[in-house]
Amino acid sequence: MAEYTAAERVALARNTARPGVVDYVQGLFTDFFEQKGDRLCGEDPSIFGGIGLFHGRPVTVIGHRKGKDLEERMACRFGMPNPEGYRKAGRLMDQAEKFGRPVITFIDTPGAYPGLEAEARGQGEAIARMLAKMSALTVPTIAIVTGEGGSGGALALGVGNRVLMLENAVYSVLSPEGFAAILWKDASRSDEACEVMKLTAADLLELGVIDRVIPEPVGGAHTDVAAMVRTLDRVLQEELAGLSRMSGHALFTGRYEKFRAMGAKALRKERT
Amino acid sequence: MSSVFQRRRQKLLALKAMHSVSASVHPHSSEVCKNCGGEVPHRDLVAAGYVCPLCGYHHPIGAYYRLSQILDRGSFRELDEELASADPLDFPGYRQKLEKAQAKTGMNEGVVTALGRIGGMKVAVGVLDNRFFMGSMSAALGEKVTRLVEQAAKSRLPLILFSASGGARMQEGILSLMQMAKTSAALERFSRRGGLYISVLTHPTTGGVTASFASLGDIMLAEPGALIGFAGPRVIEQTIGQELPEGFQSAEYLLEHGFLDAVVPRSQMRETLIRLLKLHGKAGANRDG
């Protein structure tokens, strides 16, 4: 593994050439059918989702889409979903549950979109529902942080039985810039924030927030997308095989216990 | 009915409640309303439950004081009072800040969880306190809320949570974020077992708390004028490059947009909760002694 600083990994995770959910869907799944719309009020392209075959087995795939060219990036608000995106994701997960399909999510977002309409249509409620819904699925769920895992907007697709992370991906409570601005009133201290935030894959593995780090090609996933896809294909086969042996009840309970234990070591008893 | 223990519990809550509101204020002095700038005699403000008699502004109040207003006398039994943050990321300066907040508020964390009765009906209740790190979500806060939900499920009690939060506890980083999943998962399980959850949003409720347990109530209430949102107003203004309309993200705005059942003034909160608990009858409340 190459040794990068946390700030360098943040830059790699944000590299516009870095593959995203659409690239991975092309590389990993066959016969993919994209599903659109939340059936309530709109279609948000910043969440990409649908049904595909993974080595012949139907799976539901959902991920953040950042867009390839400027026009698409604008339409996707640079990967920052509106509530419609999360509600579409929820709809797709309901179908996955109904038809017994495993769910695979690809996480890559700076965060949920902080906009006026997003608030008016219940951004907080949309994310909360996703967390509740995903926590209770009885099908196998695998979440992969492929780029930026930014805040609640990332976690909304992240309540998996297994949570995996690419070697140079980052996952944090807030962007390093936002973190520095809130805590030190100085967004320019973001490099410093990167170091104290514990946002790299290695840090998060140690904290028990993720289950596995997936190695990237030397120089990052974008330098050899085909190789990255091959690695992901092998890892997903392994992970899915493991989860497929479990009953729906075991998948639900196992996931609950996994997230129930988050932060267990962050507690202390104070004398009263 | 009133046993020695009940009287003692009531006394303890009353003491904590006093500490829970502006402790330094002289009883005969006046206070300036943060909202309208009007001068209000302190005793009038207290009599109105810290709602400004001039403009109706609902001042934020401490968790124990809130509980003393909501619960039946002598019914308060605090849970997990000793739980505190262990500074999991060894974050520079965090320990000292925690100690300061603990000394200032007399609390170990930003939420008080308890069992008690409202109108004779047993409930599990939690109140976030924004004087403690702005009610931000630490692992300990998430743990206390989760334990309360699990306790409510186990004892088949209705659950009431009063939220007030600035969002994530930055000093606990990703572990703060994970509490959103933990608390939401617990509530989903509680809900599937038929539990009643009443969520009350108070000023201000934002960020990760809005995007998790605060938004998942069967019944959604809020205090008048409370700021409620996911992203903070300043972040949104920076994003869209324009000023936000008057009243944006207020409780009334959320009511209009379909995210609340009712905006309930503080003076009517207790009776509203009693009505709702009664309406759910055995499905929600457990009337045993």
Side-chain angles (χ1 to χ4, degrees):
Chain A
M1 280 194 192
E3 277 315 307
Y4 293 111
T5 66
E8 285 166 345
R9 289 196 206 274
V10 170
L12 271 171
R14 290 175 178 174
N15 191 318
T16 51
R18 198 171 169 84
V21 61
V22 178
D23 305 292
Y24 292 128
V25 161
Q26 275 167 9
L28 292 166
F29 308 102
T30 54
D31 290 318
F32 190 81
F33 178 78
E34 185 184 355
Q35 293 178 278
K36 293 186 179 183
D38 68 353
R39 301 295 186 272
L40 296 163
C41 84
E43 152 66 9
D44 182 359
S46 70
I47 295 279
F48 177 80
I51 317 160
L53 298 178
F54 184 66
H55 294 274
R57 179 179 185 183
V59 293
T60 287
V61 184
I62 304 168
H64 300 94
R65 171 162 50 190
K66 286 185 166 174
K68 288 290 171 200
D69 51 34
L70 185 65
E71 197 184 338
E72 201 184 34
R73 278 183 222 285
M74 301 275 281
C76 294
R77 291 173 306 281
F78 303 90
M80 293 186 276
N82 270 334
E84 297 75 63
Y86 292 117
R87 292 184 180 125
K88 171 170 74 176
R91 184 173 78 77
L92 268 49
M93 284 189 193
D94 284 339
Q95 287 189 8
E97 179 80 5
K98 175 179 172 186
F99 296 110
R101 288 192 289 263
V103 176
I104 300 166
T105 64
F106 293 86
I107 295 170
D108 185 15
T109 177
Y113 189 64
L116 194 145
E117 288 84 11
E119 293 291 317
R121 296 197 292 266
Q123 187 74 285
E125 194 266 357
I127 292 171
R129 292 274 165 227
M130 275 303 296
L131 299 174
K133 188 187 293 290
M134 212 177 166
S135 76
L137 296 177
T138 60
V139 293
T141 52
I142 300 171
I144 312 166
V145 186
T146 62
E148 280 181 280
S151 190
L155 180 63
L157 300 184
V159 191
N161 287 103
R162 299 281 290 170
V163 181
L164 322 177
M165 221 171 137
L166 298 195
E167 182 189 338
N168 295 314
V170 294
Y171 194 4
S172 58
V173 67
L174 192 65
S175 72
E177 292 82 3
F179 186 90
I182 287 187
L183 218 50
W184 303 317
K185 315 276 175 240
D186 185 358
S188 69
R189 285 170 71 183
S190 63
D191 281 9
E192 204 180 321
C194 292
E195 296 303 326
V196 296
M197 285 175 80
K198 306 244 191 325
L199 45 64
T200 67
D203 285 335
L204 297 175
L205 187 68
E206 202 182 309
L207 285 169
V209 170
I210 64 162
D211 302 297
R212 180 172 181 173
V213 181
I214 304 170
E216 292 186 25
V218 177
H222 61 290
T223 60
D224 190 346
V225 179
M228 189 70 250
V229 167
R230 278 196 302 278
T231 306
L232 268 174
D233 185 70
R234 181 175 53 77
V235 169
L236 272 177
Q237 285 193 65
E238 284 170 22
E239 295 289 349
L240 211 50
L243 293 177
S244 298
R245 283 193 286 271
M246 296 169 71
S247 70
H249 179 73
L251 287 164
F252 169 82
T253 312
R255 196 187 305 110
Y256 185 84
E257 295 304 330
K258 170 189 170 73
F259 282 89
R260 180 68 188 84
M262 293 279 178
K265 288 182 190 141
L267 309 172
R268 185 168 61 86
K269 282 195 172 177
E270 184 79 55
R271 281 180 303 274
T272 51
Chain B
M1 269 300 280
S2 177
S3 71
V4 175
F5 296 110
Q6 274 182 330
R7 282 201 299 275
R8 195 176 284 171
R9 283 206 292 270
Q10 182 58 24
K11 220 175 191 173
L12 189 68
L13 180 60
L15 275 171
K16 287 187 163 179
M18 270 172 63
H19 190 89
S20 188
V21 289
S22 28
S24 59
V25 177
H26 191 269
H28 298 296
S29 66
S30 286
E31 286 197 50
V32 175
C33 174
K34 271 183 217 153
N35 186 51
C36 69
E39 218 170 278
V40 184
H42 183 67
R43 60 168 181 279
D44 292 0
L45 199 61
V46 174
Y50 290 85
V51 176
C52 175
L54 303 172
C55 69
Y57 176 71
H58 283 55
H59 287 84
I61 51 174
Y64 290 110
Y65 180 71
R66 168 89 61 189
L67 285 162
S68 75
Q69 286 199 322
I70 293 297
L71 294 178
D72 295 353
R73 286 178 66 85
S75 72
F76 171 74
R77 306 267 302 263
E78 184 161 1
L79 303 169
D80 300 310
E81 194 183 352
E82 72 288 352
L83 263 191
S85 168
D87 185 13
L89 304 187
D90 208 8
F91 197 90
Y94 183 35
R95 249 166 245 252
Q96 291 85 324
K97 273 193 160 177
L98 277 170
E99 279 168 21
K100 244 181 166 171
Q102 285 164 348
K104 192 183 99 185
T105 60
M107 304 167 66
N108 288 321
E109 250 305 325
V111 65
V112 176
T113 55
L115 299 180
R117 287 175 189 278
I118 301 181
M121 293 168 279
K122 252 176 122 173
V123 294
V125 58
V127 183
L128 275 69
D129 193 316
N130 65 7
R131 295 168 310 148
F132 195 100
F133 277 80
M134 303 199 18
S136 58
M137 184 106 90
S138 64
L141 191 148
E143 179 70 18
K144 284 181 82 170
V145 169
T146 305
R147 285 189 191 181
L148 182 72
V149 176
E150 289 176 342
Q151 175 73 52
K154 201 174 133 200
S155 310
R156 303 178 61 86
L157 296 175
L159 171 73
I160 303 171
L161 286 175
F162 287 83
S163 290
S165 176
R169 183 78 54 88
M170 290 299 146
Q171 294 88 344
E172 296 191 16
I174 194 84
L175 296 175
S176 168
L177 188 71
M178 291 300 137
Q179 305 309 309
M180 292 169 63
K182 183 166 111 181
T183 53
S184 299
L187 279 169
E188 180 66 18
R189 218 160 75 151
F190 174 68
S191 180
R192 284 168 182 239
R193 289 178 182 180
L196 164 68
Y197 167 33
I198 302 174
S199 174
V200 188
L201 309 176
T202 70
H203 181 72
T205 300
T206 59
V209 167
T210 301
S212 61
F213 61 83
S215 290
L216 294 172
D218 297 297
I219 305 287
M220 297 288 303
L221 308 176
E223 284 198 330
L227 175 83
I228 303 157
F230 176 61
R234 262 179 310 167
V235 178
I236 301 169
E237 281 184 343
Q238 278 169 15
T239 309
I240 62 173
Q242 62 188 62
E243 266 184 48
L244 294 168
E246 180 80 21
F248 179 69
Q249 293 184 314
S250 66
E252 295 73 15
Y253 180 90
L254 265 84
L255 183 70
E256 197 180 306
H257 284 80
F259 292 97
L260 294 175
D261 290 293
V263 174
V264 181
R266 194 170 289 166
S267 58
Q268 291 166 31
M269 189 59 77
R270 184 178 140 87
E271 49 182 291
T272 303
L273 292 174
I274 291 173
R275 233 172 87 204
L276 284 166
L277 291 170
K278 278 186 181 159
L279 281 169
H280 285 81
K282 281 211 172 100
N286 190 340
R287 272 175 174 279
D288 73 336

